[in-house]
Amino acid sequence: MQRIIINADDLGLNNQVNEAILHYLETGKITSSTIMASGEAFCDAVKIAKQFPSCSFGVHLTIDELTPVTDSTVFEQCGLVKDGMFVKNAYKTLRYKPEIEEAIYSEWKAQIAKILDSGINVSHIDSHHHCHTYSFLPQIVNRLSKEFGINRVRLNLYSPLLFKFRQKDDSLMLEHSDMPQTSKSPSGSGIADALKRHIGRKRTNIYLKHHFTTTDYFCSLRYFFANESLTVRFGTIELMCHPGHPSYVMETQLLNNIPLKGKDLISYLNL
């Protein structure tokens, strides 16, 4: 029987997100969630997590949104932080330097420690916008995994055909996520860039599966809902969702109708 983990990202981000995740934990539609250590509703997130001992609660590492937990001048120097806030997607422009690695290591260590100190048994590691899978950052996760004894880690998004959804006239539209969203056919350079990202994601997942305990496959709830037949060969799958986010209303609605017949709903505690 195929085993499914449904993980709600961003617990602690704000009260709206927390309330939505609480609802789906109570109804049994999700079995796992990951906590943002610097979220404005962190304390409430801890209270929620402690109500569901059979569910898994991990850390949602971030270096591209919210405020840092640590105070490092390196972040401003390399462009990761501006006006006291992490800059979205700035990590994608980083060039490896030992001092940058150490600053991110210290920041993520502090985020994990903050959640552990609150009394939460951190079950697994993932990250905001999948930053833990980028460039040299998986090696930092490897260090932290060994230090804290947290061996379960989320995979990168990877699929033979990776789609994303958009809402138009109340219908689901499938688009290739790596292609420019225009009416024109993708250019040769666009296809080459997509292929490069595709190969990079595959290599990252090979590294993650070698060093950590992972599911066999990871995708968004929306992708799974529309492409279930493409995922039947995987024994364990993690599905990502975002209850409470205004931009994920349609995805959240799918939680009420996800096809789980013949599947076993588990958490990261069962891996």
Side-chain angles (χ1 to χ4, degrees), residues 6-23:
I6 304 180
N7 189 93
D9 289 12
D10 302 342
L11 183 60
L13 178 63
N14 55 47
N15 289 328
Q16 181 177 339
V17 168
N18 282 8
E19 290 172 3
I21 292 177
L22 173 60
H23 168 73

Side-chain angles (χ1 to χ4, degrees), residues 195-206:
L195 182 60
K196 183 178 179 180
R197 287 192 291 271
H198 180 78
I199 294 172
R201 289 168 179 162
K202 184 174 182 178
R203 287 176 175 170
T204 298
N205 278 351
I206 291 173

Side-chain angles (χ1 to χ4, degrees), residues 34-140:
T34 37
I35 302 171
M36 305 183 85
S38 57
E40 65 181 52
F42 171 77
C43 292
D44 184 56
V46 171
K47 293 178 182 177
I48 290 172
K50 290 181 178 180
Q51 296 178 44
F52 300 92
S54 63
C55 295
S56 54
F57 292 92
V59 57
H60 199 57
L61 299 172
T62 183
I63 50 168
D64 72 335
E65 194 173 348
L66 305 178
T67 58
V69 175
T70 57
D71 184 15
S72 174
T73 57
V74 173
F75 288 151
E76 290 194 0
Q77 292 169 1
C78 70
L80 270 180
V81 168
K82 183 177 181 180
D83 299 326
M85 301 286 291
F86 282 121
V87 179
K88 188 174 182 180
N89 290 327
Y91 71 91
K92 294 181 179 180
T93 66
L94 290 178
R95 299 289 183 182
Y96 176 81
K97 292 182 179 180
E99 60 267 30
I100 293 176
E101 178 181 357
E102 289 306 307
I104 295 174
Y105 163 78
S106 296
E107 172 64 24
W108 282 356
K109 179 178 178 179
Q111 291 180 22
I112 294 172
K114 182 178 179 180
I115 297 174
L116 287 170
D117 290 344
S118 72
I120 299 299
N121 182 22
V122 175
S123 57
H124 63 292
I125 296 171
D126 64 26
S127 64
H128 203 44
H129 303 143
H130 318 294
C131 59
H132 76 286
T133 67
Y134 194 81
S135 187
F136 60 90
L137 301 184
Q139 285 81 14
I140 299 178

